[in-house]
Amino acid sequence: MEYVELNTKQKMPALGIGTWKSKKGEVGKAVKIALETGYRHIDCAYAYENEDEIGEILKETFDQGKIKREDIWITSKLWNIFHDPKDVQPICEKTIKDLQCGYLDLYLMHCPVCFEKRENLELFPRKDENTMSTVNIPLIETWHAMEKLVELGLVKSIGISNFTKEKIEEIYEKAKIKPVINQVENHPYLQQEELCQYCRKNGIQITAYSPLGTSDSKKEEDPSLLQDPVINEIAKKHNVSSAQILIKWQIQRGNTVIPKAVKPEHIKDNFDCQNIKLTEEDMKQIATLDRHFRFLNPLNFWNIDMYGEANKK
Ligand SMILES: NC(=O)c1ccc[n+]([C@@H]2O[C@H](COP(=O)([O-])OP(=O)(O)OC[C@H]3O[C@@H](n4cnc5c(N)ncnc54)[C@H](OP(=O)(O)O)[C@@H]3O)[C@@H](O)[C@H]2O)c1
């Protein structure tokens, strides 16, 4: 297992398993198989509505003494309706309780946008059919509340997700604790080299989400990374799957990466990517595939321009 060292000196496993859209009744089994396969990093979130089932498996694993808590990296995320500083600690505690893990290795602000918090805690409160109901809470206020979680020992480190350079600048200078991670969409069609370099320069590690092209949320007309001829050709040359090439490419670029899988054969296939070594020529060829294409753009489903200028590049 490869690890990357963060600005906190924590060692984070470069490969983790994603759990978004992993359904109830499936997610627990998937995490169990992942742990048995050798994964030591699980990417969770309140908004995935499955943390309780993951928690059952974690408890069972720790009770059996097979794997110790400190041997697993657990990430979760603060959902957009909980940006009010007074909500941050209670909702983080709920996640820790659901995951039955005692503390989190990493807690991310899920998005640089705050939604209205309604009594029924609906995750996606809408103003009308096409528009989310947002509230203006400065990101730095939420960030300061997240810093307290570190001081309280609830989380080891804090980070951000879906932040552009401009959004990072809104918090960076005033932050007492600098973000350790920016978790963003990243794959050969959206390489975000400029953002990756900016983050690295500022001690922020990139975690790549949707590294396989998010087939659970992909639209019919979207391009398919897993069927890309260049990726397929490189996979054929190494006698491995295209998914393995896409995941290993992230690790070789220095990113951490969290492919989601519930099928046992996918979970194992993705883990085995660690045995591959891409050549310089492979890396160069993959670099040519960038087309600034987002599979997940909030402009399309929330009517929120979360990426501003970065959307236009
Ligand atoms: N911070 C954020 O805002 C954010 C946003 C999106 C995602 N994420 C995180 O990133 C994770 C990954 O992103 P994602 O879920 O969008 O998509 P992804 O990992 O790019 O793709 C997941 C899809 O690929 C399939 N798959 C997995 N391994 C495969 C293999 N070896 N061969 C063929 N197909 C394979 C999965 O199938 P099966 O499941 O059927 O095995 C699933 O349909 C999420 O689960 C979540 O943890 C974070």
Side-chain angles (χ1 to χ4, degrees), residues 185-208:
E185 179 175 339
N186 202 289
H187 43 70
Y189 295 161
L190 183 73
Q191 304 190 12
Q192 307 216 62
E193 200 44 49
E194 213 178 297
L195 178 68
C196 292
Q197 281 186 22
Y198 170 82
C199 286
R200 276 181 211 125
K201 206 174 94 210
N202 287 288
I204 305 171
Q205 170 70 38
I206 291 280
T207 297

Short mmCIF file of all heavy atoms in Angstrom, two decimals, residues 185-208:
data_model
loop_
_atom_site.label_atom_id
_atom_site.label_comp_id
_atom_site.label_asym_id
_atom_site.label_seq_id
_atom_site.Cartn_x
_atom_site.Cartn_y
_atom_site.Cartn_z
N GLU A 185 -13.15 16.66 -8.40
CA GLU A 185 -13.28 15.76 -9.55
C GLU A 185 -11.97 15.80 -10.33
O GLU A 185 -11.45 16.87 -10.64
CB GLU A 185 -14.45 16.21 -10.44
CG GLU A 185 -14.60 15.32 -11.65
CD GLU A 185 -15.83 15.63 -12.52
OE1 GLU A 185 -16.80 16.25 -12.02
OE2 GLU A 185 -15.80 15.24 -13.71
N ASN A 186 -11.45 14.63 -10.65
CA ASN A 186 -10.19 14.59 -11.39
C ASN A 186 -10.05 13.27 -12.13
O ASN A 186 -10.26 12.20 -11.56
CB ASN A 186 -9.00 14.79 -10.43
CG ASN A 186 -7.78 15.28 -11.17
OD1 ASN A 186 -7.16 14.55 -11.93
ND2 ASN A 186 -7.44 16.55 -10.98
N HIS A 187 -9.73 13.37 -13.40
CA HIS A 187 -9.53 12.21 -14.27
C HIS A 187 -8.92 12.74 -15.57
O HIS A 187 -8.78 13.97 -15.72
CB HIS A 187 -10.89 11.50 -14.53
CG HIS A 187 -12.01 12.46 -14.79
ND1 HIS A 187 -12.09 13.20 -15.96
CD2 HIS A 187 -13.05 12.87 -14.03
CE1 HIS A 187 -13.16 13.97 -15.90
NE2 HIS A 187 -13.76 13.82 -14.73
N PRO A 188 -8.56 11.88 -16.50
CA PRO A 188 -7.88 12.38 -17.71
C PRO A 188 -8.67 13.44 -18.49
O PRO A 188 -8.06 14.27 -19.16
CB PRO A 188 -7.68 11.12 -18.54
CG PRO A 188 -7.52 10.05 -17.50
CD PRO A 188 -8.50 10.41 -16.41
N TYR A 189 -10.00 13.46 -18.41
CA TYR A 189 -10.76 14.48 -19.14
C TYR A 189 -10.86 15.79 -18.35
O TYR A 189 -11.32 16.80 -18.87
CB TYR A 189 -12.18 13.99 -19.45
CG TYR A 189 -12.26 12.81 -20.40
CD1 TYR A 189 -13.41 12.03 -20.46
CD2 TYR A 189 -11.19 12.49 -21.25
CE1 TYR A 189 -13.49 10.94 -21.32
CE2 TYR A 189 -11.27 11.40 -22.11
CZ TYR A 189 -12.42 10.63 -22.14
OH TYR A 189 -12.51 9.56 -22.99
N LEU A 190 -10.48 15.77 -17.08
CA LEU A 190 -10.51 16.99 -16.24
C LEU A 190 -9.28 16.92 -15.32
O LEU A 190 -9.39 16.54 -14.16
CB LEU A 190 -11.80 17.06 -15.42
CG LEU A 190 -11.97 18.32 -14.57
CD1 LEU A 190 -12.30 19.53 -15.44
CD2 LEU A 190 -13.08 18.14 -13.52
N GLN A 191 -8.15 17.30 -15.87
CA GLN A 191 -6.89 17.06 -15.14
C GLN A 191 -6.59 18.14 -14.12
O GLN A 191 -5.85 17.92 -13.16
CB GLN A 191 -5.74 16.87 -16.14
CG GLN A 191 -6.05 15.74 -17.12
CD GLN A 191 -4.89 15.33 -18.00
OE1 GLN A 191 -3.74 15.70 -17.79
NE2 GLN A 191 -5.20 14.52 -19.01
N GLN A 192 -7.13 19.34 -14.32
CA GLN A 192 -7.00 20.45 -13.37
C GLN A 192 -5.55 20.66 -12.92
O GLN A 192 -5.28 20.83 -11.73
CB GLN A 192 -7.89 20.21 -12.14
CG GLN A 192 -9.34 19.91 -12.48
CD GLN A 192 -10.29 20.52 -11.47
OE1 GLN A 192 -10.33 21.72 -11.29
NE2 GLN A 192 -11.06 19.69 -10.78
N GLU A 193 -4.64 20.65 -13.87
CA GLU A 193 -3.21 20.74 -13.54
C GLU A 193 -2.88 22.02 -12.76
O GLU A 193 -2.12 22.00 -11.80
CB GLU A 193 -2.40 20.63 -14.84
CG GLU A 193 -0.95 20.25 -14.67
CD GLU A 193 -0.69 19.11 -13.68
OE1 GLU A 193 -1.35 18.07 -13.77
OE2 GLU A 193 0.19 19.30 -12.81
N GLU A 194 -3.52 23.13 -13.18
CA GLU A 194 -3.24 24.42 -12.53
C GLU A 194 -3.64 24.37 -11.05
O GLU A 194 -2.89 24.79 -10.17
CB GLU A 194 -4.06 25.50 -13.24
CG GLU A 194 -3.41 26.86 -13.30
CD GLU A 194 -4.31 27.81 -14.08
OE1 GLU A 194 -4.53 27.56 -15.30
OE2 GLU A 194 -4.80 28.76 -13.48
N LEU A 195 -4.84 23.84 -10.80
CA LEU A 195 -5.34 23.74 -9.42
C LEU A 195 -4.45 22.78 -8.61
O LEU A 195 -4.09 23.07 -7.46
CB LEU A 195 -6.80 23.26 -9.41
CG LEU A 195 -7.42 23.05 -8.03
CD1 LEU A 195 -7.61 24.40 -7.32
CD2 LEU A 195 -8.78 22.34 -8.13
N CYS A 196 -4.08 21.66 -9.23
CA CYS A 196 -3.23 20.68 -8.52
C CYS A 196 -1.91 21.34 -8.12
O CYS A 196 -1.46 21.19 -6.98
CB CYS A 196 -2.92 19.46 -9.40
SG CYS A 196 -4.35 18.43 -9.73
N GLN A 197 -1.32 22.09 -9.03
CA GLN A 197 -0.03 22.73 -8.72
C GLN A 197 -0.18 23.79 -7.64
O GLN A 197 0.65 23.89 -6.74
CB GLN A 197 0.56 23.35 -9.99
CG GLN A 197 1.21 22.28 -10.85
CD GLN A 197 1.93 22.86 -12.05
OE1 GLN A 197 2.29 24.03 -12.05
NE2 GLN A 197 2.10 22.06 -13.08
N TYR A 198 -1.25 24.57 -7.73
CA TYR A 198 -1.49 25.61 -6.72
C TYR A 198 -1.64 24.95 -5.34
O TYR A 198 -1.08 25.41 -4.34
CB TYR A 198 -2.75 26.41 -7.07
CG TYR A 198 -3.20 27.33 -5.97
CD1 TYR A 198 -2.61 28.58 -5.80
CD2 TYR A 198 -4.20 26.93 -5.08
CE1 TYR A 198 -2.99 29.41 -4.76
CE2 TYR A 198 -4.59 27.76 -4.04
CZ TYR A 198 -3.98 28.99 -3.89
OH TYR A 198 -4.37 29.81 -2.85
N CYS A 199 -2.39 23.86 -5.28
CA CYS A 199 -2.61 23.18 -4.00
C CYS A 199 -1.30 22.63 -3.47
O CYS A 199 -0.95 22.82 -2.31
CB CYS A 199 -3.65 22.07 -4.16
SG CYS A 199 -5.33 22.72 -4.31
N ARG A 200 -0.55 21.95 -4.33
CA ARG A 200 0.74 21.37 -3.89
C ARG A 200 1.65 22.46 -3.32
O ARG A 200 2.25 22.28 -2.27
CB ARG A 200 1.44 20.68 -5.05
CG ARG A 200 0.92 19.27 -5.24
CD ARG A 200 1.64 18.54 -6.39
NE ARG A 200 0.69 17.61 -6.98
CZ ARG A 200 0.37 17.58 -8.26
NH1 ARG A 200 0.92 18.39 -9.13
NH2 ARG A 200 -0.53 16.70 -8.70
N LYS A 201 1.69 23.60 -4.02
CA LYS A 201 2.56 24.71 -3.58
C LYS A 201 2.16 25.18 -2.17
O LYS A 201 2.99 25.64 -1.41
CB LYS A 201 2.41 25.87 -4.59
CG LYS A 201 3.63 26.75 -4.64
CD LYS A 201 3.51 27.79 -5.74
CE LYS A 201 2.95 29.07 -5.14
NZ LYS A 201 2.17 29.87 -6.01
N ASN A 202 0.89 25.03 -1.85
CA ASN A 202 0.39 25.50 -0.55
C ASN A 202 0.19 24.37 0.45
O ASN A 202 -0.55 24.53 1.44
CB ASN A 202 -0.91 26.29 -0.75
CG ASN A 202 -0.63 27.64 -1.38
OD1 ASN A 202 -0.09 28.54 -0.74
ND2 ASN A 202 -0.94 27.76 -2.66
N GLY A 203 0.80 23.24 0.18
CA GLY A 203 0.76 22.12 1.14
C GLY A 203 -0.60 21.42 1.21
O GLY A 203 -0.92 20.79 2.21
N ILE A 204 -1.39 21.56 0.15
CA ILE A 204 -2.71 20.90 0.13
C ILE A 204 -2.66 19.71 -0.83
O ILE A 204 -2.39 19.89 -2.03
CB ILE A 204 -3.82 21.89 -0.31
CG1 ILE A 204 -3.82 23.15 0.56
CG2 ILE A 204 -5.19 21.21 -0.30
CD1 ILE A 204 -4.73 24.26 0.06
N GLN A 205 -2.89 18.54 -0.31
CA GLN A 205 -2.89 17.31 -1.11
C GLN A 205 -4.20 17.23 -1.91
O GLN A 205 -5.27 17.54 -1.38
CB GLN A 205 -2.75 16.11 -0.16
CG GLN A 205 -2.96 14.76 -0.77
CD GLN A 205 -1.82 14.36 -1.73
OE1 GLN A 205 -0.66 14.64 -1.48
NE2 GLN A 205 -2.20 13.71 -2.81
N ILE A 206 -4.12 16.78 -3.15
CA ILE A 206 -5.34 16.57 -3.95
C ILE A 206 -5.81 15.13 -3.80
O ILE A 206 -5.02 14.19 -3.91
CB ILE A 206 -5.09 16.85 -5.45
CG1 ILE A 206 -4.82 18.35 -5.71
CG2 ILE A 206 -6.22 16.33 -6.32
CD1 ILE A 206 -6.05 19.22 -5.77
N THR A 207 -7.11 14.97 -3.53
CA THR A 207 -7.74 13.65 -3.65
C THR A 207 -8.66 13.70 -4.87
O THR A 207 -9.49 14.61 -4.98
CB THR A 207 -8.56 13.29 -2.40
OG1 THR A 207 -7.69 13.20 -1.28
CG2 THR A 207 -9.28 11.94 -2.57
N ALA A 208 -8.49 12.72 -5.76
CA ALA A 208 -9.25 12.70 -7.01
C ALA A 208 -10.54 11.90 -6.81
O ALA A 208 -10.49 10.72 -6.48
CB ALA A 208 -8.43 12.05 -8.10
#
